[in-house]
mmCIF file of all heavy atoms in Angstrom:
data_model
loop_
_atom_site.group_PDB
_atom_site.id
_atom_site.type_symbol
_atom_site.label_atom_id
_atom_site.label_comp_id
_atom_site.label_asym_id
_atom_site.label_seq_id
_atom_site.Cartn_x
_atom_site.Cartn_y
_atom_site.Cartn_z
ATOM 1 N N ARG A 28 -45.884 -0.043 18.686
ATOM 2 C CA ARG A 28 -45.839 0.172 17.229
ATOM 3 C C ARG A 28 -44.400 0.367 16.755
ATOM 4 O O ARG A 28 -44.009 -0.145 15.712
ATOM 5 C CB ARG A 28 -46.676 1.383 16.840
ATOM 6 C CG ARG A 28 -48.132 1.099 16.827
ATOM 7 C CD ARG A 28 -48.912 2.275 16.272
ATOM 8 N NE ARG A 28 -50.296 2.131 16.637
ATOM 9 C CZ ARG A 28 -51.034 3.053 17.241
ATOM 10 N NH1 ARG A 28 -50.516 4.236 17.523
ATOM 11 N NH2 ARG A 28 -52.279 2.826 17.544
ATOM 12 N N LEU A 29 -43.625 1.137 17.533
ATOM 13 C CA LEU A 29 -42.222 1.342 17.179
ATOM 14 C C LEU A 29 -41.450 0.025 17.200
ATOM 15 O O LEU A 29 -40.608 -0.235 16.325
ATOM 16 C CB LEU A 29 -41.575 2.359 18.109
ATOM 17 C CG LEU A 29 -41.969 3.815 17.878
ATOM 18 C CD1 LEU A 29 -41.350 4.709 18.952
ATOM 19 C CD2 LEU A 29 -41.530 4.272 16.500
ATOM 20 N N LYS A 30 -41.725 -0.799 18.170
ATOM 21 C CA LYS A 30 -41.071 -2.108 18.237
ATOM 22 C C LYS A 30 -41.446 -2.957 17.025
ATOM 23 O O LYS A 30 -40.593 -3.620 16.436
ATOM 24 C CB LYS A 30 -41.469 -2.846 19.524
ATOM 25 C CG LYS A 30 -40.816 -2.333 20.758
ATOM 26 C CD LYS A 30 -41.245 -3.159 21.968
ATOM 27 C CE LYS A 30 -40.688 -2.633 23.260
ATOM 28 N NZ LYS A 30 -41.137 -3.415 24.418
ATOM 29 N N LEU A 31 -42.723 -2.916 16.652
ATOM 30 C CA LEU A 31 -43.182 -3.685 15.493
ATOM 31 C C LEU A 31 -42.533 -3.171 14.210
ATOM 32 O O LEU A 31 -42.069 -3.953 13.383
ATOM 33 C CB LEU A 31 -44.711 -3.624 15.387
ATOM 34 C CG LEU A 31 -45.310 -4.389 14.200
ATOM 35 C CD1 LEU A 31 -44.985 -5.869 14.302
ATOM 36 C CD2 LEU A 31 -46.802 -4.155 14.128
ATOM 37 N N LEU A 32 -42.487 -1.855 14.036
ATOM 38 C CA LEU A 32 -41.847 -1.275 12.850
ATOM 39 C C LEU A 32 -40.350 -1.602 12.813
ATOM 40 O O LEU A 32 -39.792 -1.887 11.754
ATOM 41 C CB LEU A 32 -42.074 0.237 12.801
ATOM 42 C CG LEU A 32 -43.500 0.675 12.482
ATOM 43 C CD1 LEU A 32 -43.631 2.186 12.595
ATOM 44 C CD2 LEU A 32 -43.890 0.206 11.092
ATOM 45 N N ALA A 33 -39.682 -1.565 13.959
ATOM 46 C CA ALA A 33 -38.259 -1.910 14.016
ATOM 47 C C ALA A 33 -38.047 -3.374 13.640
ATOM 48 O O ALA A 33 -37.116 -3.716 12.901
ATOM 49 C CB ALA A 33 -37.695 -1.632 15.410
ATOM 50 N N LEU A 34 -38.920 -4.234 14.106
ATOM 51 C CA LEU A 34 -38.823 -5.659 13.783
ATOM 52 C C LEU A 34 -39.038 -5.890 12.284
ATOM 53 O O LEU A 34 -38.299 -6.646 11.652
ATOM 54 C CB LEU A 34 -39.856 -6.442 14.608
ATOM 55 C CG LEU A 34 -39.741 -7.948 14.562
ATOM 56 C CD1 LEU A 34 -38.429 -8.407 15.151
ATOM 57 C CD2 LEU A 34 -40.897 -8.574 15.326
ATOM 58 N N ILE A 35 -40.013 -5.212 11.704
ATOM 59 C CA ILE A 35 -40.262 -5.324 10.253
ATOM 60 C C ILE A 35 -39.056 -4.795 9.483
ATOM 61 O O ILE A 35 -38.624 -5.390 8.500
ATOM 62 C CB ILE A 35 -41.555 -4.578 9.869
ATOM 63 C CG1 ILE A 35 -42.772 -5.328 10.425
ATOM 64 C CG2 ILE A 35 -41.667 -4.420 8.360
ATOM 65 C CD1 ILE A 35 -44.085 -4.584 10.281
ATOM 66 N N ALA A 36 -38.486 -3.688 9.938
ATOM 67 C CA ALA A 36 -37.331 -3.108 9.256
ATOM 68 C C ALA A 36 -36.128 -4.043 9.319
ATOM 69 O O ALA A 36 -35.381 -4.172 8.343
ATOM 70 C CB ALA A 36 -36.986 -1.757 9.871
ATOM 71 N N ILE A 37 -35.940 -4.707 10.437
ATOM 72 C CA ILE A 37 -34.816 -5.641 10.572
ATOM 73 C C ILE A 37 -34.925 -6.767 9.555
ATOM 74 O O ILE A 37 -33.931 -7.174 8.947
ATOM 75 C CB ILE A 37 -34.747 -6.194 12.016
ATOM 76 C CG1 ILE A 37 -34.252 -5.106 12.960
ATOM 77 C CG2 ILE A 37 -33.853 -7.425 12.086
ATOM 78 C CD1 ILE A 37 -34.308 -5.487 14.427
ATOM 79 N N PHE A 38 -36.119 -7.266 9.334
ATOM 80 C CA PHE A 38 -36.284 -8.368 8.379
ATOM 81 C C PHE A 38 -36.392 -7.885 6.932
ATOM 82 O O PHE A 38 -36.052 -8.611 6.011
ATOM 83 C CB PHE A 38 -37.511 -9.216 8.751
ATOM 84 C CG PHE A 38 -37.269 -10.070 9.958
ATOM 85 C CD1 PHE A 38 -37.860 -9.754 11.168
ATOM 86 C CD2 PHE A 38 -36.426 -11.170 9.901
ATOM 87 C CE1 PHE A 38 -37.632 -10.528 12.293
ATOM 88 C CE2 PHE A 38 -36.191 -11.942 11.017
ATOM 89 C CZ PHE A 38 -36.795 -11.625 12.222
ATOM 90 N N ALA A 39 -36.857 -6.676 6.725
ATOM 91 C CA ALA A 39 -37.016 -6.164 5.362
ATOM 92 C C ALA A 39 -35.734 -5.540 4.823
ATOM 93 O O ALA A 39 -35.507 -5.538 3.607
ATOM 94 C CB ALA A 39 -38.148 -5.140 5.325
ATOM 95 N N ALA A 40 -34.882 -5.022 5.696
ATOM 96 C CA ALA A 40 -33.675 -4.323 5.247
ATOM 97 C C ALA A 40 -32.773 -5.204 4.374
ATOM 98 O O ALA A 40 -32.310 -4.737 3.326
ATOM 99 C CB ALA A 40 -32.911 -3.779 6.447
ATOM 100 N N PRO A 41 -32.493 -6.445 4.718
ATOM 101 C CA PRO A 41 -31.639 -7.251 3.838
ATOM 102 C C PRO A 41 -32.231 -7.456 2.438
ATOM 103 O O PRO A 41 -31.502 -7.471 1.452
ATOM 104 C CB PRO A 41 -31.515 -8.593 4.566
ATOM 105 C CG PRO A 41 -31.794 -8.284 5.986
ATOM 106 C CD PRO A 41 -32.766 -7.143 5.967
ATOM 107 N N MET A 42 -33.551 -7.560 2.371
ATOM 108 C CA MET A 42 -34.196 -7.719 1.069
ATOM 109 C C MET A 42 -34.064 -6.442 0.235
ATOM 110 O O MET A 42 -33.798 -6.498 -0.964
ATOM 111 C CB MET A 42 -35.674 -8.084 1.234
ATOM 112 C CG MET A 42 -35.894 -9.424 1.908
ATOM 113 S SD MET A 42 -35.196 -10.771 0.961
ATOM 114 C CE MET A 42 -36.339 -10.844 -0.368
ATOM 115 N N VAL A 43 -34.217 -5.302 0.871
ATOM 116 C CA VAL A 43 -34.092 -4.027 0.170
ATOM 117 C C VAL A 43 -32.650 -3.834 -0.295
ATOM 118 O O VAL A 43 -32.400 -3.420 -1.428
ATOM 119 C CB VAL A 43 -34.561 -2.862 1.072
ATOM 120 C CG1 VAL A 43 -34.240 -1.516 0.454
ATOM 121 C CG2 VAL A 43 -36.046 -2.991 1.369
ATOM 122 N N VAL A 44 -31.695 -4.156 0.558
ATOM 123 C CA VAL A 44 -30.281 -4.023 0.192
ATOM 124 C C VAL A 44 -29.943 -4.963 -0.959
ATOM 125 O O VAL A 44 -29.278 -4.581 -1.924
ATOM 126 C CB VAL A 44 -29.378 -4.287 1.410
ATOM 127 C CG1 VAL A 44 -27.916 -4.406 1.000
ATOM 128 C CG2 VAL A 44 -29.544 -3.174 2.442
#
Side-chain angles (χ1 to χ4, degrees):
R28 283 187 197 128
L29 286 175
K30 285 182 184 179
L31 180 62
L32 289 174
L34 189 63
I35 290 172
I37 288 173
F38 286 107
M42 296 298 287
V43 171
V44 170

